[in-house]
Every structure is written in structure tokens, then in C-alpha cells.
Amino acid sequence: MASSIAVCRLNMRGRLSKCFKKVDSCFQRKFGTNTTATKTDAPNKKYKIDSKDRNKSFYTVQEEKIEQAERSVLISCPAKTNEKKFLNYLSRHGDINKCFFYESYGTYAVVEFSNKESLTSLHEGTAIPSINHEATVPFKSRLLSLRNAGPVDMSNGQSAPQCQPQTTIHINDLIQRLSKEDSIDQQISSLTETYQLTEENVCLRFLVCSLLKDIAAAYFPECTIRPFGSSVNGFGKLGCDLDMFLDLDGISGRNLKRPKAGLSLEYQTKRSASERAGTQSILSVIGECVDQFGPGCVGVQKILQARCPLVRFAHQPSGFQCDLTANNRVAMKSSELLYLYGGLDRRVRCLVFSVRCWARAHSITSSISGAWISNFSLTVMVLFFLQRRTIPILPTLDHLKELAGPLDKSVIEGNDCTFVSDFTKIRLQDNTETLEQLLQEFFEFYGTFAFNCMSINIRKGREQNKPEVSPLHIQNPFEPALNVSKNVNGTQLERFVALCRESAWMLQQREFNVPHRGSGTGNNAPWGLAALLMPSVSQVAGVKSRKKRKREPASERIKGLLESLKNREVKS
């Protein structure tokens, strides 16, 4: 492991012991009430658009997070590190805004300082580790390692630091948790709170991008690496992959058409046959550098012949599976659009999380590529459904384009990606439907949708005739010629429709839409959303016998749940 994770070692011996003699007084003086790492703080503060951030644009939030990441370090710590003394030692280098711990191949701490000068001071107190059996590369990373640090490693019965969750709970635990709620609306909200990215997890994602940018900056000193997709669009689930975009547009002079003086900058580049070839060359070089010198980056794959060339690797200190792309500006605009839709009405995110969880529980979606419906396609289907309400909950993309100002104009590779970014310019209609109503109506809507002849288009907000013969056609919002669900085959679409109809029927039955309390057992019978997440017995059995028999309208899952509810009623 030492060869794959080349980290700097904090040179704390000697000076560290002296520092701890005045722990309490120094700790109070440096932190007061500003630090967020103490055990009295709420451990599970969620990352969501709250009242103070509601009107912040996508790129405003991005720039703030990037700037915070530039002032942060990632430190590998002993399992039983005393938080108070740990923070007190680091405060010698400057005031700390935020610190939290998590676990991934060991215990790690993310520390955000108030200014960048603190990072310089911290690096001056570090040393390259001396390893006899292998060569070392003196790359000055912000991934540090705390080892043999004496009093910081409190192994004499002290509890380990409180770690932030990085993955979701098991589906069975989720079902039990939801079964204890009093309404389906509360179940949907609880699922969202449980699955969505925490604020700490999002900070870690931006920090990983910033650490990777330190490597890329050797070739492109003013570049930026930005997260996109689920990490930033508001619909990310704990444990989701980290998609990153190498942004070269910010390099000074890149967008200038005319020099201001008689001199122009001679870029030391060679012409490529095409923009795609140039992207492949850039990613090939960065991928090789990450593979050879990237601290904590393992399993690097350069997938350059894909439709969108990328470098894939695992970042062990964070536990993230990472994909790095370049020249993928349309994907950034898609992330911004989803962020905007998710910030307009809290029901949007809640419904998307519930539908995605339901789809994953029944293998409608999958983490591996294939003929399954993707999470992005499901999200677009939810947005389209909310546009099609009698009183629309969401505006169409064309309407958002009409509201756009001059600064919102965006044309990427000939595709018009313009839409308003200012939340305050958007006026929503007064729709008062509950989450329970919307969930049931979603299943009914797609259980009867004319997939055989109609396509889904959130730009127009209405069904359109399918331009191709694919079983499921969902128009890409910014590249109209592309079908984002072209991979889905007829069998998977039929399964989706059948499950929609079954779920809609279940939510109409009293046995499933009211709580059923157990009698002293501590376990409640699954009902409402929890019942919809139960694995289908007929689905499991059908893997072996689907060629011999067709799925019955009333599946074994429904029969089993009904029998379970009846038995609990008799016992109580």
C-alpha cells in the first residue's frame, strides 16, 4: 500500500509534546465556538439548499466550495486520535474554520483553514518519509499522514473520534426506519434525509478535486478541476461516484480573441487533428501523471476511446470511484439545470430520491453498464412528470430560456444551453399536492404512458412523437439529436411499466397505505413507501423460470405482504 499512497509525514516529534502543555487555554483562544469538529455539534448536518443558500446560483456555490477546498488538507490519523489536542496542534499554523473525521481504509480528517498561508506554514513542518525499500517522489501534496505522534494517539481507552457517514444504510435498515414513520410524506422525507449527501461529504468531494488539480497544475497552472453530476446537482446519494471535469477555460488569455498589445502569448502546444484528439492527449498525460505520482490514486484506467474520453481511478483516502473528463461542458450545464430544478421546490428532490431508491430496490437501475434505465433518465422522467401536472410544479426548459439574461447565454458545440440561473426570476404556480399524491400519480402516469409512440421532452414539457424505434426515448435537454435512454431494451422497459402499475395499485390499498404497528416486538410491518421497497419474490423466482411462465398480475410480493399484515393484526 505504501507504494500506491505516497504521502507526506507530519514532522511532529519533539515540538508536538511541548505544544500540548497548554492545550485547553490555546484551544479556547484559537477556536472559541467556530470549529465544527467538537462532539457536541450535530453529526449529520445534511447538504441541502437551505434558506440562506436558496438563491445562490450553481456557479456561485461551486466557486465558494472550490475556494474552501483550496484552503483544506486531508490527514490520515491513528484510529484513536484525541480531537481536541489534534486541532490544538494544527491551530499553531492558523485559525481553523472546519474539521471533521471519517473512515476509509483508516481514519482521516479534513481540515479547512481560514487562509492559504496556514497551508504554507503546515507544509514547512512536514517531511518526506524516508523509505528504504522503494524510491520516493518528493511531491508536496496536501494529503498528509500523522504517525507516531505521541500524545495525539490516545490509545489508553479513549474513544475514537466521531466519524461522518460516507455510505448509505442497508436497504433492510431503511425499510425498518421508514416503517416507523406516521405518514407516507414523512417516509419520503426520511428517505431523502437518509440518502442525500451530507455537507461534509460534499466538502470532501471538492477537496479530492482540488488535490487532483495540484497534479494537473504542473501542466496547466491555471486550470480548475470541478465536480459535476450527482456530486453537485442536489440528487447525489451517499457513496455515489465522483465525476470530475478538467476546466481549462479559466487559463489567462484563453478566451481573448485579440491581444491588447503588440505581443501575444505563444502557447507551447502542438496542433491536434481535432478537438477530440486534443482532449485524448490531455487526458493521457494527466492519467499517466496520476497513475505514477498521484497520492492515494490506484487502479488508473485511461478510457480514451469512449464517446466521452475519461480517466478512471479509485481514490483510496476518500473511498471515491472517480472519473475525470475534459471538454465536457454540456455535462456541467446539465448539472446546473438539475441543481436549479431541485432548488425550486423541495418535493422535486424528495420524489427523485424515492423513485431512484424504488428503482434500485427492484433492479430497474444498476451500478454496471447495460440495458437498464439510468439514474439520469429516471430523474428526467420525474421532472417531466412534474411539468405535466394539471398545475405544473416545474417550468419547461424553454420557459427558463425565455427568462435568461445576457450573462446566461450559453452555446456549446452548436447546442443552445441557455437558461436562467437566477432563482428570483422564476415564478412557480400554486400546486399543493402532497408527496404521497405525487408518488402514486407518478406510478400511474408511467404505468399508462404511451412509450410505444411517444418520447419525453422536458424542453417542451409535453410528449412528442418518437423520432426513432428505441423502446424508451428521452430527449437530451441540450443535445436534441441524442436519446439519453437509447441503451434501454424492451424487456427492461416492460419491467419498469409492470412495477409502476403494481406500485400504483399497492398505494391505493388500505392495507399498504396506513401504518401497522407491531405488538411489543419493536418491528413494524412494512407499509407505504417501505412496502414498495420490499424485494419481489416473483422477480427473484422469475430469473430461473421466466421462459416457462409469465408474471401474474397479483405478484407474490403483494400476496406475501398482505399475509404478513393480516398475521400482525391477529397477534395484536
Side-chain angles (χ1 to χ4, degrees):
M1 188 65 68
S3 62
S4 62
I5 306 182
V7 297
C8 298
R9 188 178 305 277
L10 288 177
N11 187 15
M12 298 180 177
R13 302 173 185 177
R15 292 180 296 173
L16 185 59
S17 299
K18 297 179 181 178
C19 172
F20 290 144
K21 292 182 179 179
K22 298 182 180 180
V23 168
D24 293 334
S25 59
C26 184
F27 183 85
Q28 295 295 331
R29 175 166 47 86
K30 283 288 184 181
F31 297 112
T33 59
N34 291 331
T35 182
T36 61
T38 58
K39 292 185 179 180
T40 58
D41 289 335
N44 289 314
K45 184 178 180 182
K46 299 296 181 179
Y47 178 74
K48 58 183 179 181
I49 304 175
D50 55 29
S51 56
K52 64 182 177 65
D53 290 336
R54 184 170 182 81
N55 293 329
K56 288 185 178 180
S57 71
F58 177 77
Y59 284 104
T60 297
V61 174
Q62 281 246 324
E63 292 305 318
E64 289 179 357
K65 295 293 183 183
I66 290 173
E67 197 272 334
Q68 290 169 3
E70 292 291 327
R71 294 185 273 106
S72 302
V73 292
L74 182 57
I75 303 178
S76 174
C77 307
K80 294 185 178 181
T81 298
N82 185 288
E83 296 182 50
K84 191 173 182 179
K85 293 182 179 181
F86 173 77
L87 289 171
N88 179 69
Y89 172 75
L90 293 178
S91 70
R92 296 171 63 246
H93 301 283
D95 293 337
I96 295 174
N97 285 349
K98 179 187 300 182
C99 175
F100 62 89
F101 291 81
Y102 69 93
E103 292 182 342
S104 172
Y105 297 95
T107 302
Y108 289 85
V110 174
V111 181
E112 178 196 327
F113 287 96
S114 296
N115 55 71
K116 283 188 176 182
E117 287 72 21
S118 299
L119 298 182
T120 303
S121 173
L122 182 63
H123 267 136
E124 290 174 353
T126 65
I128 301 296
S130 176
I131 303 176
N132 296 326
H133 66 278
E134 63 180 57
T136 60
V137 179
F139 174 67
K140 211 165 190 178
S141 168
R142 282 182 287 139
L143 172 58
L144 310 175
S145 179
L146 176 62
R147 295 289 184 268
N148 301 322
V152 176
D153 187 5
M154 302 297 291
S155 57
N156 56 348
Q158 290 285 340
S159 60
Q162 186 173 9
C163 293
Q164 296 295 324
Q166 299 298 307
T167 57
T168 57
I169 63 176
H170 191 273
I171 185 66
N172 292 339
D173 297 327
L174 176 66
I175 290 173
Q176 283 297 316
R177 178 178 298 185
L178 299 184
S179 299
K180 297 176 183 179
E181 300 292 348
D182 295 324
S183 69
I184 293 179
D185 276 46
Q186 290 178 7
Q187 289 182 329
I188 295 174
S189 296
S190 177
L191 183 148
T192 305
E193 288 292 316
T194 302
Y195 268 27
Q196 67 186 355
L197 297 181
T198 62
E199 179 180 353
E200 291 80 11
N201 191 270
V202 173
C203 289
L204 179 58
R205 290 169 183 271
F206 275 89
L207 177 54
V208 172
C209 291
S210 184
L211 295 176
L212 196 65
K213 180 250 185 184
D214 290 344
I215 299 174
Y219 293 91
F220 309 104
E222 298 178 39
C223 72
T224 301
I225 292 184
R226 303 176 182 273
F228 70 94
S230 295
S231 296
V232 294
N233 63 23
F235 298 100
K237 184 180 77 169
L238 281 172
C240 66
D241 292 349
L242 173 56
D243 296 316
M244 298 178 286
F245 168 62
L246 175 62
D247 186 0
L248 303 177
D249 287 344
I251 295 178
S252 298
R254 180 178 174 87
N255 293 320
L256 297 180
K257 296 182 178 179
R258 296 180 180 178
K260 294 182 178 180
L263 298 175
S264 62
L265 182 62
E266 182 67 22
Y267 285 101
Q268 297 303 308
T269 60
K270 295 182 178 180
R271 293 187 179 275
S272 298
S274 64
E275 188 171 9
R276 176 181 172 82
T279 298
Q280 290 172 323
S281 298
I282 290 172
L283 289 177
S284 180
V285 171
I286 298 299
E288 189 68 23
C289 195
V290 170
D291 190 19
Q292 297 295 326
F293 311 120
C297 301
V298 299
V300 179
Q301 304 175 61
K302 294 186 286 186
I303 309 175
L304 304 179
Q305 299 305 320
R307 177 180 174 272
C308 181
L310 59 93
V311 174
R312 176 168 293 164
F313 60 93
H315 186 259
Q316 286 188 332
S318 65
F320 295 143
Q321 293 294 320
C322 304
D323 285 348
L324 173 67
T325 63
N327 190 30
N328 197 13
R329 295 185 292 276
V330 173
M332 288 296 297
K333 292 301 292 185
S334 296
S335 300
E336 181 184 3
L337 179 64
L338 295 187
Y339 170 86
L340 183 70
Y341 274 132
L344 290 176
D345 190 304
R346 65 173 296 270
R347 292 172 294 180
V348 178
R349 295 179 65 247
C350 288
L351 194 60
V352 168
F353 273 100
S354 298
V355 170
R356 280 186 175 186
C357 184
W358 165 84
R360 189 58 180 269
H362 298 291
S363 301
I364 296 296
T365 59
S366 175
S367 59
I368 59 177
S369 59
W372 295 275
I373 300 176
S374 68
N375 277 329
F376 179 72
S377 294
L378 271 180
T379 302
V380 175
M381 293 173 79
V382 173
L383 299 180
F384 181 75
F385 161 73
L386 295 176
Q387 291 175 338
R388 296 292 292 152
R389 306 309 297 145
T390 303
I391 301 178
I393 293 177
L394 292 178
T396 66
L397 181 53
D398 275 348
H399 180 65
L400 295 179
K401 178 183 175 181
E402 293 172 359
L403 298 175
L407 296 179
D408 295 319
K409 185 174 179 58
S410 175
V411 177
I412 301 174
E413 298 175 1
N415 298 302
D416 192 350
C417 303
T418 302
F419 59 89
V420 65
S421 60
D422 186 350
F423 281 93
T424 62
K425 293 183 178 180
I426 304 172
R427 296 289 180 265
L428 301 178
Q429 299 189 44
D430 188 20
N431 181 298
T432 59
E433 290 177 291
T434 65
L435 287 168
E436 178 180 354
Q437 291 173 316
L438 292 173
L439 184 63
Q440 180 175 332
E441 290 288 339
F442 172 86
F443 292 131
E444 293 181 3
F445 181 83
Y446 285 111
T448 58
F449 191 85
F451 288 108
N452 61 320
C453 60
M454 293 295 177
S455 69
I456 293 170
N457 185 346
I458 64 171
R459 178 170 286 279
K460 302 295 182 182
R462 62 177 182 269
E463 300 90 340
Q464 292 187 313
N465 293 327
K466 282 205 301 188
E468 58 183 51
V469 295
S470 299
L472 176 61
H473 190 278
I474 302 175
Q475 186 183 93
N476 187 305
F478 299 120
E479 298 176 277
L482 296 182
N483 173 14
V484 300
S485 58
K486 191 172 184 177
N487 62 298
V488 180
N489 61 28
T491 301
Q492 293 301 320
L493 181 59
E494 288 174 6
R495 289 188 62 248
F496 171 76
V497 172
L499 280 167
C500 281
R501 293 173 179 174
E502 181 180 283
S503 298
W505 180 86
M506 289 174 65
L507 290 176
Q508 293 172 0
Q509 310 308 306
R510 186 179 185 279
E511 293 88 345
F512 295 111
N513 61 21
V514 295
H516 292 264
R517 303 304 185 194
S519 56
T521 62
N523 293 326
N524 299 304
W527 69 278
L529 178 58
L532 297 184
L533 301 181
M534 293 289 288
S536 174
V537 177
S538 62
Q539 176 184 337
V540 175
V543 172
K544 296 182 179 180
S545 60
R546 58 189 172 191
K547 294 183 178 180
K548 297 180 181 180
R549 63 179 176 86
K550 293 183 179 180
R551 183 185 180 123
E552 297 295 331
S555 73
E556 293 297 325
R557 178 164 68 104
I558 296 178
K559 292 179 182 179
L561 286 170
L562 285 172
E563 189 66 28
S564 174
L565 295 175
K566 290 178 181 177
N567 291 339
R568 289 181 179 271
E569 289 176 355
V570 171
K571 291 179 180 180
S572 60

